[in-house]
Amino acid sequence: MDKLKDKFASKAMPMAEQTRKLVKEHGEIVLGQYTIEQVYSGMKGMIGMITETSKLDAEEGIRFRGYSIPELREKLPVSKEGPEPLPEGIFYLLLTGEIPTLEEVINVNNEWMKRANVPKHVFDMLDMLPAKTHPMTQFSMAIMALQTESVFAQKYREGMNKKEYWDPMYEDIMNLIARLPRIAAYIYRKTYKDGIHIEPNPKLDWAGNFAHMLGYEALDFRKLMRLYLTIHVDHEGGNVSAHTTHLVGSALSDAYLSLAAGMNGLAGPLHGLAAQEVARWILDLREEFNGVPTKEQIAEFIKKTLAEGRVIPGYGHAVLRKTDPRYTAQQEFAKANMADDELFKIVQLLYEVTPEILKSTGKIKNPWPNVDAHSGILLIHYGLTEYDFYTVLFGVSRAIGVLTSLLWDRALGVPIERPGSVTTEWILNKIKKETSEAEAKA
Ligand code: HAX
């Protein structure tokens, strides 16, 4: 057994025992109540599942295994090229709950390098798709094509004891994460660079090698990739990509089927596709005013977008009620590496103008920017201008969070998910009953 697998087992097996015991002994404790409004509004705020890897606080933002982003930028091992954390480190943290040493991070990287080979049929399938196929559609289809390699699916077919589910799932998530940069880079080069592909460089770390296969050799771009792929990994369990992966996985669908489903959710414009939409919208804004607009011109552009019944991409959040710390981390990177960039100036101006206008609509619960408000302009700065590809980058990172969670689900023996649903007629009858009971009491 590899060392990391061994470590995971030493953490997960006692925890599985502990959760079984706590449900048996304290299963009756009430966690919350919910309202008709919540049922009609996307179940916001209802606690409905366990996610061990991260927890989102509305005011403070995300904590990964208890650590905030600034803490992780300090504590996680960095590459020799520094100063941004290596995504292998956050993977180790999400999986085990421990901050890894540099040696442990290097071991993860070596393990992923060993597993990174992508079977030819995946590339053949991608090559057959029409050129106009959106990169996220290609990404999801490639993950599905790779399902031929699922160890879990094979072992299940052979007949496997429930207690062993986590073991082939570990193999699947390691193999899948190892292969995603190669697949994503293949999609990028096929779609935008005349199909001229770049072989991996096994001397580089996971993110550095990804940057290399995309065709970007600048040192600062590698640093950006390490930061980008670290901060996008996870956002607790209820967001669409995480919840979908978890839900599909609860039917014992393997990691490939589950991740592809999650990626289809990430591809929605209210979720991960917002990264692409923000870049498009900001470029339109710059074009409309021939350069960096004034605050008045920005306000005019925002109001026009709202008047057309569209959302301002990159602003708002279903849980957060303050500026997303993932936005702040990217803002700090931009201040340090590209302070004079024209698009960065626009993003800074948007930060000053947008929240007040959104607040004035009287309906938005969070007028502050989210992670997607910033990422695109960083990529454009280094020449990666093809914004339809941005959500694929997001997906490569998000896979780390949702797949480590999926492995925890298998180790803890999480059962099939099956919440109840009701009809509006059922709700109306409930209202009628409660109203007449209240009137009878009065
Ligand atoms: N611009 C304009 N209106 C907005 C808005 C925005 N950025 N954000 C919310 N609103 C509107 C909603 O559309 C809703 O209007 P209606 O009542 O007319 O339907 C109202 O304000 C209340 O919405 P809310 O409760 O504040 O927000 P939700 O929890 O329903 O939705 C969203 C959260 C992130 C989907 C929303 O803020 C949004 O559409 N933002 C723009 C798209 C975006 O940036 N998405 C990425 C989010 C982060 C993420 O998942 N990244 O992957």
Side-chain angles (χ1 to χ4, degrees):
M1 204 187 270
D2 77 51
K3 272 191 195 160
L4 181 57
K5 194 171 180 183
D6 209 6
K7 173 136 222 159
F8 176 76
S10 76
K11 300 262 170 185
M13 295 309 114
M15 181 115 181
E17 185 51 38
Q18 187 191 10
T19 55
R20 270 193 293 274
K21 195 162 167 261
L22 84 82
V23 171
K24 200 167 163 205
E25 292 174 4
H26 306 289
E28 299 297 310
I29 292 180
V30 174
L31 288 183
Q33 288 182 313
Y34 54 91
T35 62
I36 288 178
E37 185 186 353
Q38 285 173 294
V39 172
Y40 275 99
S41 320
M43 303 189 280
K44 311 264 169 52
M46 291 183 193
I47 298 174
M49 72 186 98
I50 302 291
T51 302
E52 305 291 352
T53 47
S54 65
K55 175 82 188 89
L56 183 57
D57 179 85
E59 301 298 323
E60 197 201 33
I62 190 69
R63 277 185 178 267
F64 303 101
R65 293 284 190 178
Y67 296 99
S68 67
I69 289 177
E71 285 165 357
L72 287 184
R73 286 178 90 184
E74 249 178 53
K75 289 183 194 302
L76 283 178
V78 297
S79 95
K80 283 196 286 280
E81 296 175 341
E84 300 302 342
L86 291 159
E88 291 89 331
I90 197 157
F91 168 78
Y92 188 103
L93 175 68
L94 298 186
L95 198 70
T96 67
E98 288 178 19
I99 298 272
T101 61
L102 181 58
E103 193 194 338
E104 285 163 335
V105 158
I106 291 171
N107 286 343
V108 172
N109 182 246
N110 289 341
E111 197 58 45
W112 285 353
M113 274 295 171
K114 271 196 275 175
R115 297 166 182 257
N117 190 42
V118 176
K120 183 174 171 296
H121 73 265
V122 176
F123 298 136
D124 290 345
M125 184 279 298
L126 287 170
D127 287 340
M128 282 167 64
L129 293 175
K132 65 178 182 188
T133 311
H134 191 279
M136 270 309 272
T137 310
Q138 298 188 47
F139 190 52
S140 169
M141 290 178 79
I143 295 167
M144 288 295 290
L146 205 51
Q147 196 262 349
T148 48
E149 310 308 296
S150 172
V151 183
F152 182 91
Q154 188 197 326
K155 296 274 178 203
Y156 193 87
R157 204 182 166 102
E158 287 166 9
M160 173 172 45
N161 188 307
K162 281 178 177 196
K163 291 190 184 125
E164 290 163 12
Y165 287 167
W166 71 272
D167 188 306
M169 186 58 99
Y170 174 89
E171 299 302 326
D172 275 358
I173 74 151
M174 290 293 278
N175 292 339
L176 191 38
I177 296 171
R179 288 161 167 164
L180 289 177
R182 178 82 165 120
I183 290 174
Y186 192 92
I187 292 168
Y188 179 71
R189 305 285 310 176
K190 164 192 170 278
T191 310
Y192 303 111
K193 303 289 172 188
D194 299 326
I196 301 166
H197 298 289
I198 301 172
E199 287 303 307
N201 176 353
K203 291 199 182 110
L204 285 167
D205 54 287
W206 187 73
N209 184 39
F210 186 22
H212 159 75
M213 289 187 292
L214 287 168
Y216 294 85
E217 300 296 354
L219 172 65
D220 282 350
F221 186 80
R222 281 204 290 278
K223 287 188 204 160
L224 174 64
M225 274 298 98
R226 291 176 191 127
L227 175 67
Y228 183 104
L229 296 171
T230 296
I231 62 176
H232 283 79
V233 284
D234 210 23
H235 222 220
E236 76 167 36
N239 67 76
V240 173
S241 51
H243 187 192
T244 308
T245 307
H246 163 82
L247 170 66
V248 173
S250 85
L252 293 188
S253 304
D254 60 58
Y256 298 84
L257 299 172
S258 305
L259 182 68
M263 290 301 105
N264 291 343
L266 193 72
L270 296 189
H271 190 18
L273 206 79
Q276 135 187 344
E277 294 302 293
V278 169
R280 222 153 55 89
W281 187 80
I282 292 178
L283 291 173
D284 284 352
L285 168 64
R286 182 172 70 171
E287 195 182 313
E288 174 112 353
F289 299 107
N290 290 317
V292 179
T294 63
K295 286 190 190 176
E296 291 69 29
Q297 287 171 327
I298 289 180
E300 183 192 318
F301 197 76
I302 291 171
K303 286 176 187 163
K304 185 167 142 264
T305 303
L306 292 175
E308 286 165 358
R310 296 159 61 200
V311 293
I312 307 302
Y315 279 76
H317 200 273
V319 180
L320 279 170
R321 294 297 175 255
K322 61 159 252 189
T323 300
D324 191 334
R326 300 171 299 175
Y327 174 93
T328 312
Q330 296 179 91
Q331 186 186 46
E332 283 165 9
F333 184 94
K335 279 183 186 162
N337 295 289
M338 43 180 275
D340 293 330
D341 183 276
E342 193 173 77
L343 290 175
F344 177 50
K345 285 185 185 149
I346 297 179
V347 165
Q348 293 282 77
L349 285 171
L350 279 166
Y351 193 26
E352 289 178 41
V353 178
T354 314
E356 284 312 311
I357 300 177
L358 287 177
K359 274 186 219 167
S360 73
T361 65
K363 58 179 186 177
I364 185 168
K365 297 197 186 66
N366 176 39
W368 302 106
N370 59 58
V371 65
D372 301 315
H374 217 304
S375 51
I377 64 114
L378 298 173
L379 298 164
I380 292 173
H381 178 80
Y382 293 108
L384 206 164
T385 54
E386 300 89 354
Y387 45 68
D388 279 6
F389 184 72
Y390 292 171
T391 312
V392 176
L393 292 177
F394 193 156
V396 170
S397 174
R398 182 50 59 95
I400 288 184
V402 300
L403 291 177
T404 48
S405 275
L406 194 62
L407 176 58
W408 271 96
D409 288 350
R410 287 295 75 82
L412 299 185
V414 170
I416 191 161
E417 191 168 291
R418 201 339 184 155
S421 73
V422 293
T423 60
T424 294
E425 189 185 16
W426 188 96
I427 294 277
L428 289 170
N429 286 337
K430 172 101 179 147
I431 294 170
K432 215 194 249 169
K433 190 164 167 257
E434 300 247 328
T435 314
S436 56
E437 278 171 10
E439 280 168 2
K441 268 195 203 151

